[in-house]
Amino acid sequence: MVTIDNYLDSHFIHRSNWLRAAVLGANDGIISVSSLAIGVAAGSASREPILLATIAGLVAGALSMAAGEYVSVSSQTDIEQADIKREEAELREMPEVELEILTQIYQKRGLKRETALLVAKELTEADALGAHIRDELGINELTRANPIQAAFASGAAFTAGGILPLLVAFFAPVRTMEYFLYGFTIVFLVILGAMSAKTGGSGAGKAILRIVIWGTIAMVLSALVGYLFGVNL
């Protein structure tokens, strides 16, 4: 038997919040740490400065991602809560106006005036605030995110992505490390792009292409900086 919950669970949009944070964190971890390691490797003749810079970049990047995601999502949550409180006040002070607003929203979606008014009245009787939060403010479970959950997801994903180029920096030959880093990073990015596309139910080709192109640009520019300012540490 098909239920609404089972039907909704079959759609990939419900994964968008955590998938976005995970892919962004892992992608940033791979590219940022790899680019940093390549830049230092291009101007260094020993492994120690490369490892030091890579580990520092991994730790700082993970903390920065977590803090940034927490602040960003908290700001969004604060705005949403302020709008909800304002909506509560408007429903108390001018319910007729709010009913008309809801009616016009449903009219714009294609309902006739009589049908839109009936729907607005029934939803208002059932849950006035919920109807306005969803249909007037555009806030729903898909757009809401938990600040701590988002911070942890981004920080953990960045760490998981950043560890991969760190392992390459540990084991690759120093003389050709930037080439090893670039090659393995491309492989990591291809895998990440394919995994994100499969999880999100989209085409893998486009996801892989864009993630590899931007990753390559970042690493090439970082290597260029390392060559230009390298001091053979």
Side-chain angles (χ1 to χ4, degrees):
M1 178 181 177
V2 178
T3 65
I4 184 65
D5 291 334
N6 292 335
Y7 181 75
L8 292 176
D9 286 342
S10 68
H11 289 278
F12 295 102
I13 189 64
H14 295 274
R15 306 174 183 176
S16 59
N17 274 334
W18 66 263
L19 182 60
R20 178 196 63 82
V23 171
L24 177 62
N27 179 70
D28 201 15
I30 294 172
I31 294 178
S32 297
V33 176
S34 289
S35 298
L36 180 60
I38 288 173
V40 178
S44 176
S46 60
R47 189 182 303 275
E48 287 74 15
I50 304 171
L51 292 178
L52 179 61
T54 305
I55 293 172
L58 174 59
V59 174
L63 294 176
S64 176
M65 282 290 293
E69 193 73 12
Y70 180 84
V71 171
S72 174
V73 175
S74 294
S75 298
Q76 176 184 337
T77 302
D78 290 343
I79 294 172
E80 290 177 352
Q81 292 302 319
D83 274 344
I84 290 173
K85 288 182 179 179
R86 188 179 300 111
E87 195 63 35
E88 287 178 330
E90 290 174 351
L91 282 170
R92 287 194 304 269
E93 296 168 3
M94 44 184 186
E96 296 83 4
V97 174
E98 290 299 305
L99 179 63
E100 177 60 24
I101 290 173
L102 210 56
T103 301
Q104 291 183 18
I105 289 173
Y106 298 141
Q107 279 186 271
K108 289 180 179 179
R109 293 180 181 177
L111 296 181
K112 295 180 180 179
R113 170 73 186 182
E114 296 77 11
T115 307
L117 180 58
L118 178 61
V119 171
K121 285 181 177 179
E122 291 189 359
L123 288 176
T124 298
E125 291 173 0
D127 181 9
L129 181 60
H132 283 273
I133 289 174
R134 180 182 60 252
D135 296 322
E136 182 181 347
L137 302 182
I139 301 173
N140 55 56
E141 293 302 320
L142 295 180
T143 61
R144 289 185 177 183
N146 183 297
I148 294 180
Q149 183 184 55
F152 178 79
S154 293
F158 185 99
T159 301
I163 285 176
L164 299 175
L166 176 60
L167 292 174
V168 177
F170 263 113
F171 297 109
V174 176
R175 289 185 178 180
T176 55
M177 185 177 292
E178 56 264 46
Y179 302 107
F180 274 90
L181 282 165
Y182 175 76
F184 276 100
T185 298
I186 293 300
V187 173
F188 299 149
L189 291 176
V190 168
I191 294 173
L192 176 62
M195 289 176 59
S196 65
K198 181 176 178 59
T199 305
S202 59
K206 185 184 294 185
I208 292 172
L209 185 62
R210 63 174 172 245
I211 204 171
V212 168
I213 289 176
W214 285 106
T216 298
I217 292 173
M219 288 184 287
V220 168
L221 292 177
S222 297
L224 180 61
V225 171
Y227 280 118
L228 291 177
F229 298 98
V231 291
N232 292 322
L233 296 173

